[in-house]
Amino acid sequence: MSTPVTCTDTSDALRARMVEELRAKKWIRTQPVADAMGSLAKESFLPGADLALVYSADDTVPVKRNADGHTVSSASAPWLVAHMLEEARIQPGDRVLEIGGARGINAALAAQLVGPAGRVVSVEIDPELVDDARAALAGAGITNVDMRCGDGHYGAADAGPFDAVIVTAQATDLATTWREQAAPGARIVVPLTLLGLSRCYTFQPCEDGGGSWRAERQLLCGFVAMQGDGAHRAERIALPGDAELHVTDALDVAADRVLGLAQGEQKRVWTGVQVARMEPVIPHLDQYLSTRLTPYLRYFGPSGQILDPGGERLSWLGIGHSATATTGALTYVVMRQVDERFHEFGVFAHGPDAGQAAQRLADLVRRWDAEFRGGADAVVHAFPADTPDGSLPPGRVVDRPGTRFVIAQAAR
Ligand SMILES: C[S@@+](CC[C@H](N)C(=O)[O-])C[C@H]1O[C@@H](n2cnc3c(N)ncnc32)[C@H](O)[C@@H]1O
């Protein structure tokens, strides 16, 4: 449990407590990352921000909003900053490329890890933030960060090759330039949205000479969206009951058809598969279903717990629920509270084929429980965009302008 913050806490005390918490939770795993995060006075990069928020291990600090009020830049949450720095395995003397520099906090931490013999190039698309970051870095006496204004989709060709690339805006592609500007054996740590699922991946080059990269671990995360030439179109379809369907990879799904299905009669199937409170298996189930449902969509209910007219205590997750749609049914995973400790997965479907569709998805959830639950994360392979189908390994293929991703999840 976190120690309560008092108004007399100084920056040093709050920072030390944050590092202690990040160590205890294993987000910080090495001494250099602890030293870097323990010595950077973050508040000088975030003028006006509340000191307790600045040093909260779990919170982001909003930095800029657009005209609609949506956050377009923030200082990332320290737990995720620590995770990404650890995953990047930065060594003294390394060259690091950061995409999405914002106010320069992560760049300053990476600068400490590379030391005086190394260099960090940080690309930020917003000129105002670049100016702020440059001033804050200079104020902190940090001289080995090259803060650049530009579209990070193109990397920094003149300054590579890079030993590590850290992307801190939500990407949907592993840009060709990042791979081309990476040194042999480099790591690319990147938050990617594939099939509507946002995960932080650590990609490493495969040794097969085919130019492919592979990520074996993943972590649920969310960043502000990538702007510029790497931005990706996504759609949100408003549904009855304050619900929404998010479509990121099947953009031919017709909104009016889905809406028509959603207004049709509902069928419910309960799977008998339970999940304990705080048991971290839902991202694994989602990833499994994403490799089996075509199209794979995300259904967002009204959020939180509701007692629905059917008498069930339903729980809607803020990260959304796995869903799919055919010409005859809109189908999605739901959760109902069984008791204080357990929820049960179920499936709701609407439309003329709802009965069969709900049974099929419920069977998939049961199969995940019997054969995959508790197994390893899905492995994501990234191949150059011109790789022919015949050269791809088995798995769910997601095509993006620069990359053919193949997602494969092995049974337990
Ligand atoms: C979550 S913030 C980055 C946090 C930051 N690395 C830190 O140290 O706290 C994401 C940033 O990415 C920037 N961004 C979005 N798209 C970009 C692009 N194509 N190239 C460079 N920066 C981009 C945004 O302006 C925003 O400042």
Side-chain angles (χ1 to χ4, degrees):
M1 207 174 74
S2 310
T3 318
V5 170
T6 66
C7 57
T8 53
D9 280 321
T10 61
S11 162
D12 286 351
L14 290 169
R15 198 177 325 120
R17 202 179 297 163
M18 175 191 78
V19 169
E20 194 186 318
E21 186 180 339
L22 293 172
R23 267 186 186 281
K25 291 182 175 166
K26 306 266 190 294
W27 295 118
I28 292 182
R29 298 184 288 276
T30 61
Q31 194 58 43
V33 172
D35 291 344
M37 296 190 76
S39 60
L40 185 73
K42 264 176 80 181
E43 66 273 25
S44 58
F45 291 72
L46 298 166
D50 175 59
L51 209 53
L53 179 66
V54 167
Y55 289 113
S56 155
D58 295 332
D59 291 304
T60 59
V61 182
V63 161
K64 195 164 185 177
R65 296 182 202 276
N66 65 12
D68 302 333
H70 291 117
T71 303
V72 290
S73 183
S74 58
S76 306
W79 68 270
L80 191 47
V81 171
H83 170 78
M84 294 178 95
L85 289 172
E86 293 287 8
E87 285 292 295
R89 305 229 179 125
I90 298 167
Q91 300 298 317
D94 275 358
R95 287 179 193 213
V96 174
L97 172 64
E98 184 195 33
I99 307 300
R103 288 264 178 81
I105 294 169
N106 190 47
L109 296 168
Q112 180 157 339
L113 295 173
V114 300
R119 190 163 187 238
V120 177
V121 178
S122 180
V123 187
E124 167 56 52
I125 204 163
D126 183 326
E128 207 182 345
L129 294 175
V130 174
D131 288 345
D132 292 346
R134 283 183 182 147
L137 289 161
I142 296 167
T143 55
N144 55 346
V145 175
D146 176 356
M147 192 78 207
R148 297 182 175 190
C149 188
D151 186 345
H153 183 67
Y154 300 101
D158 59 309
F162 297 101
D163 303 290
V165 179
I166 303 181
V167 182
T168 63
Q170 193 70 37
T172 48
D173 200 350
L174 198 62
T176 317
T177 45
W178 305 339
R179 299 189 306 236
E180 287 169 354
Q181 292 167 20
R187 293 176 153 228
I188 304 179
V189 185
V190 55
L192 270 180
T193 303
L194 299 174
L195 298 166
L197 299 178
S198 298
R199 306 280 191 267
C200 183
Y201 294 99
T202 304
F203 281 94
Q204 290 185 269
C206 297
E207 311 254 300
D208 58 7
S212 72
W213 290 65
R214 189 179 154 96
E216 294 186 357
R217 281 197 301 278
Q218 53 178 274
L219 182 72
L220 187 72
C221 75
F223 277 82
V224 299
M226 184 73 76
Q227 305 167 40
D229 289 349
H232 180 79
R233 194 165 71 90
E235 278 174 15
R236 291 171 180 217
I237 303 172
L239 298 178
D242 270 344
E244 265 191 355
L245 197 66
H246 291 199
V247 185
T248 52
D249 282 278
L251 294 167
D252 51 346
V253 167
D256 51 351
R257 180 166 59 77
V258 172
L259 189 55
L261 290 169
Q263 285 158 344
E265 194 199 343
Q266 187 191 70
K267 297 275 192 231
R268 299 178 170 199
V269 174
W270 294 102
T271 62
V273 178
Q274 295 196 350
V275 56
R277 228 175 94 103
M278 308 298 281
E279 189 186 351
V281 293
I282 294 169
H284 191 268
L285 169 64
D286 284 338
Q287 185 70 268
Y288 168 82
L289 293 175
S290 80
T291 62
R292 270 133 181 110
L293 297 174
T294 305
Y296 181 79
L297 309 166
R298 299 291 292 167
Y299 183 93
F300 288 76
S303 204
Q305 284 233 346
I306 58 157
L307 188 62
D308 89 328
E312 308 287 359
R313 194 168 291 280
L314 301 177
S315 294
W316 297 105
L317 303 175
I319 57 167
H321 296 239
S322 288
T324 191
T326 59
T327 47
L330 167 68
T331 317
Y332 46 92
V333 173
V334 298
M335 292 170 72
R336 70 173 169 187
Q337 192 173 350
V338 178
D339 56 31
E340 281 299 296
R341 281 197 59 214
F342 287 97
H343 278 80
E344 179 184 0
F345 292 115
V347 176
F348 289 1
H350 306 251
D353 299 341
Q356 279 184 339
Q359 282 298 350
R360 263 197 311 273
L361 182 47
D363 286 345
L364 270 180
V365 173
R366 293 186 190 111
R367 182 160 178 228
W368 165 77
D369 183 54
E371 297 174 28
F372 290 81
R373 185 175 187 161
D377 283 347
V379 172
V380 179
H381 239 109
F383 291 85
D386 58 1
T387 309
D389 284 350
S391 302
L392 296 177
R396 178 69 187 258
V397 178
V398 180
D399 282 315
R400 289 289 153 73
T403 315
R404 304 199 75 188
F405 293 99
V406 181
I407 308 170
Q409 193 158 26
R412 199 164 52 224

